[in-house]
Amino acid sequence: MNKILLLILLMLMFYIDKKRGFKLFLSICLNFIILMIMFYFIAIGINPIVVSLIGCFIISYIILYFVNERNVKTESSMKSIIIVLVILAVIIFGMTIFSRIAGFGYESFEEINMFSYDVNIDFTNIAIAIILIGLIGATVDSSIAISSALFEVYENNKKLSKKELFNSGINIGKDILCTTANTLLFAFLGEFMTLLIWFESLHYSLGEIINAKTFCAEMIRILFSGMGCVLVIPITAYITVQTIFKLKKNPYLMHKEL
Amino acid sequence: MNKKVLFLIILLSISAIVFVYNDDFLYSKTIMKITNIETIETDVSSNPLGLEEEHYTKEISGIITNGTHKGEKLTLDYEETFSSVVTDKYRVGDKVFVVSNEIDDLKRDFYLVILASVFVLFMFLVGQYRGLLAILSVIFNSLVFYFGLILYQNHMNLTLICIVESIIFMFSSLFIANGINKKSMVAILSTFVSMTVLFILTFVLIKCIDYSGINFNEISFITVPYADVILPGLFIGALGAVMDVAITIASSIGELIEKDSKISAKALNKSGKEIGKDIMSTMINVLFFTYLCSGLPVFVLAIRNGFSIFNYISTNFSLELTRFLVGSIGIVMTIPISIFIAIKILKKGSEISE
């Protein structure tokens, strides 16, 4: 079934644009391979936080430079993503350690009872890695939206001051907040419909649901993905404005591919 | 004005956090606040692969904070492991649930409320009222979704419920995101058409080849027949992304018509496709990482139990891949559909108003 779906997706992508479709397909394959390599490195015992941070940089690099080409826009997106990742990594680290969402909740025991639990690898770090990897897609998405829109605004009105340009970046950000929040919500709801049905059919009380490890782990994941998107908006706007004004001094750099 | 709202949000968050920290009386389960932890024994066991794992038997004592035994001291044994696959590492100061003289689980609501408050604060600082509206739409949609699940418990068809819910979601999200105007109507119509096509496509595919190649062992938490939940899950998962694409295309084409009302349909089509290309790649990547990273913990367990990596990948990422593929097809399909609908409706509208 997946093969047929993949074929349909490929046909549609080529219909939209042959060159970009091919690049996108290649980048998805590449991302899949990188993700599996990351998973493998984590599984053989290399520190999951280090693996996921480095992996996230490589993944954003691929999405930005391979699919969207390397230029001043993607350059400022990349910088903002790195800043957001570093800031969030610290918060995620604290949150995961305190809320103890590592490992599996009671609801998953059936799924994992064929395995031995004596695996000698700290699952706290793995929980941090999942949150970091999960938020990278959404963060890259809103970052590139802001930086390319800001360059567009600048092209159309070169007299704007730093502050005005920054404010229009935030305004564009407001437009994408609501749709991105819903995209994330529905992706998670689709995936965790079975968990919610489980809670409902086993008559969990509200108190049991909001303290269950399985539920909290998912909520914390979705909240951090959302925070990545939100946090990247002002940071990208700031960095892009700085870049634009730096380039204003030597305008010939503006359209040069870096 | 903004400062007042900000102050109100901070005040509400702090009071919520303080309340949740002290809400032990609301729970019927006994809650204990840990005051002392002592390791009384350390053991090493190993799995069939020879990986050595440390087990610690801990003596945890604390004070009961709710119920009829409030204030009494309690001492329990708890076995922790280094990996914390199914156990937790407790610390002094933690509040835990105690069921029949055993530690059951950590009280996590406090942390959840802290993180949610920080999120709301971020949303307001960046998005102001639009940010708060976004949160409102998320809460509303979750409630509608939950209500649907209750109906499902009363033996209604889940696929039907999800279709009806999706239509509610389209209106609530797009109106809240963009206001009640023509662009939102275009986006709703495009989402509706795209989701219908996507639904028929998946439905026919499932009927014809009957989930071949998908491994259902990996669906966790299953208490109902899997055929009941798989199609609605795919459908709801794709909805958000499809709406996102539809509204982006509708507003940009609306913008172009506003700037130049004489712009030709051909030119609009071309710019629409340009915008579509730009959002296609990043949107598909959002779905990719959101879906695929959740397989990590089981993957680690399997590899550490001696499963071969290639066997594991080929059998265990199939469902995540299906979700990703259906969502991506939705995204790419919505681009031409919403361009077509946007041009038809918005262009016509601007001609009449001239």
Side-chain angles (χ1 to χ4, degrees), chain B residues 200-218:
Chain B
I200 293 169
L201 181 81
T202 345
F203 190 76
V204 169
L205 211 58
I206 286 171
K207 278 277 172 275
C208 288
I209 53 175
D210 198 31
Y211 300 111
S212 61
I214 296 181
N215 180 0
F216 285 103
N217 294 334
E218 60 177 292

Side-chain angles (χ1 to χ4, degrees), chain B residues 20 72 78 84 97 100 131 143 152 162 190 192 198 210 231 236 252 262 266 270 292 302 306 320 326 330:
Chain B
V20 170
E72 284 175 29
Y78 183 76
S84 351
F97 292 106
S100 55
L143 287 178
Y152 172 65
C162 281
S190 319
F192 185 77
L198 190 65
D210 198 31
L231 187 60
I236 293 280
S252 4
K262 288 187 193 74
K266 211 174 169 190
K270 195 165 170 275
L292 267 88
E320 271 101 354
V326 170

Side-chain angles (χ1 to χ4, degrees), chain B residues 128-139:
Chain B
Q128 312 257 295
Y129 295 106
R130 296 285 290 279
L132 292 187
L133 278 177
I135 291 172
L136 212 70
S137 93
V138 163
I139 293 173

Side-chain angles (χ1 to χ4, degrees), chain A:
Chain A
M1 179 163 169
N2 280 344
K3 283 175 199 140
I4 300 174
L5 286 172
L6 186 64
L7 206 68
I8 297 173
L9 178 62
L10 273 179
M11 271 161 29
L12 280 167
M13 280 184 345
F14 283 128
Y15 167 74
I16 301 286
D17 187 285
K18 281 203 184 67
K19 193 169 157 240
R20 284 290 273 280
F22 181 69
K23 269 185 166 179
L24 180 56
F25 175 66
L26 219 65
S27 82
I28 292 170
C29 295
L30 216 57
N31 279 339
F32 187 74
I33 294 169
I34 289 172
L35 198 68
M36 289 306 130
I37 294 175
M38 283 163 74
F39 279 20
Y40 183 70
F41 278 164
I42 291 172
I44 59 172
I46 300 173
N47 188 316
I49 304 172
V50 175
V51 172
S52 56
L53 276 177
I54 294 175
C56 284
F57 295 147
I58 299 174
I59 289 165
S60 358
Y61 194 90
I62 290 175
I63 302 177
L64 288 173
Y65 295 155
F66 189 70
V67 185
N68 294 306
E69 285 169 1
R70 188 168 182 166
N71 52 36
V72 275
K73 294 179 218 172
T74 46
E75 199 75 16
S76 18
S77 287
M78 189 72 198
K79 277 183 208 154
S80 345
I81 291 162
I82 292 176
I83 294 174
V84 169
L85 272 180
V86 172
I87 296 174
L88 281 183
V90 177
I91 310 178
I92 292 169
F93 185 78
M95 197 64 200
T96 313
I97 284 185
F98 277 107
S99 61
R100 252 73 37 111
I101 49 169
F104 299 85
Y106 295 120
E107 294 77 18
S108 315
F109 281 8
E110 203 179 322
E111 190 189 353
I112 56 165
N113 63 11
M114 58 198 263
F115 301 120
S116 153
Y117 303 152
D118 298 338
V119 290
N120 193 28
I121 186 165
D122 193 344
F123 268 66
T124 314
N125 292 337
I126 291 179
I128 299 168
I130 299 171
I131 301 175
L132 277 173
I133 301 168
L135 64 83
I136 189 70
T139 310
V140 172
D141 182 39
S142 62
S143 172
I144 189 73
I146 300 286
S147 72
S148 35
L150 265 183
F151 271 93
E152 211 61 39
V153 171
Y154 173 74
E155 289 287 308
N156 284 319
N157 188 352
K158 300 201 169 168
K159 287 190 195 76
L160 288 174
S161 71
K162 266 189 184 185
K163 198 162 182 216
E164 284 168 319
L165 208 53
F166 178 78
N167 282 341
S168 68
I170 299 287
N171 273 333
I172 299 158
K174 283 180 200 170
D175 283 340
I176 57 178
L177 268 187
C178 196
T179 47
T180 313
N182 275 307
T183 307
L184 288 175
L185 174 77
F186 288 122
F188 277 92
L189 283 185
E191 201 176 352
F192 284 89
M193 196 179 240
T194 48
L195 175 66
L196 295 171
I197 291 174
W198 170 292
F199 286 148
E200 189 58 28
S201 58
L202 295 183
H203 303 288
Y204 272 54
S205 69
L206 182 68
E208 281 169 319
I209 293 175
I210 60 169
N211 288 296
K213 189 191 264 182
T214 329
F215 178 79
C216 284
E218 283 321 311
M219 280 303 288
I220 288 174
R221 230 180 93 198
I222 184 175
L223 283 172
F224 273 118
S225 295
M227 261 152 91
C229 291
V230 181
L231 207 59
V232 85
I233 291 170
I235 294 178
T236 311
Y238 180 77
I239 290 183
T240 310
V241 169
Q242 293 297 333
T243 316
I244 287 175
F245 276 78
K246 210 186 275 169
L247 289 174
K248 232 178 172 177
K249 286 174 192 154
N250 31 354
Y252 68 94
L253 274 176
M254 191 66 143
H255 297 283
K256 202 183 137 209
E257 299 268 312
L258 285 167

Side-chain angles (χ1 to χ4, degrees), chain A residues 2 43 100 106 119-120 211, chain B residues 53 85 94 104 108 304 322:
Chain A
N2 280 344
R100 252 73 37 111
Y106 295 120
V119 290
N120 193 28
N211 288 296
Chain B
E53 171 88 8
V85 177
D94 284 342
D104 182 49
R108 292 192 177 80
R304 290 238 149 193
T322 312

Side-chain angles (χ1 to χ4, degrees), chain B residues 255-317:
Chain B
E255 205 74 31
L256 286 172
I257 291 175
E258 258 168 46
K259 271 193 188 141
D260 175 14
S261 56
K262 288 187 193 74
I263 191 165
S264 71
K266 211 174 169 190
L268 279 178
N269 193 18
K270 195 165 170 275
S271 328
K273 265 195 164 181
E274 274 309 310
I275 298 157
K277 272 185 252 171
D278 280 342
I279 52 176
M280 173 170 84
S281 52
T282 47
M283 285 295 303
I284 286 180
N285 277 304
V286 173
L287 289 189
F288 184 81
F289 290 105
T290 310
Y291 284 141
L292 267 88
C293 72
S294 59
L296 178 61
V298 187
F299 180 85
V300 171
L301 265 190
I303 299 297
R304 290 238 149 193
N305 274 279
F307 280 65
S308 122
I309 174 164
F310 291 108
N311 278 344
Y312 187 79
I313 291 174
S314 59
T315 54
N316 279 276
F317 280 95

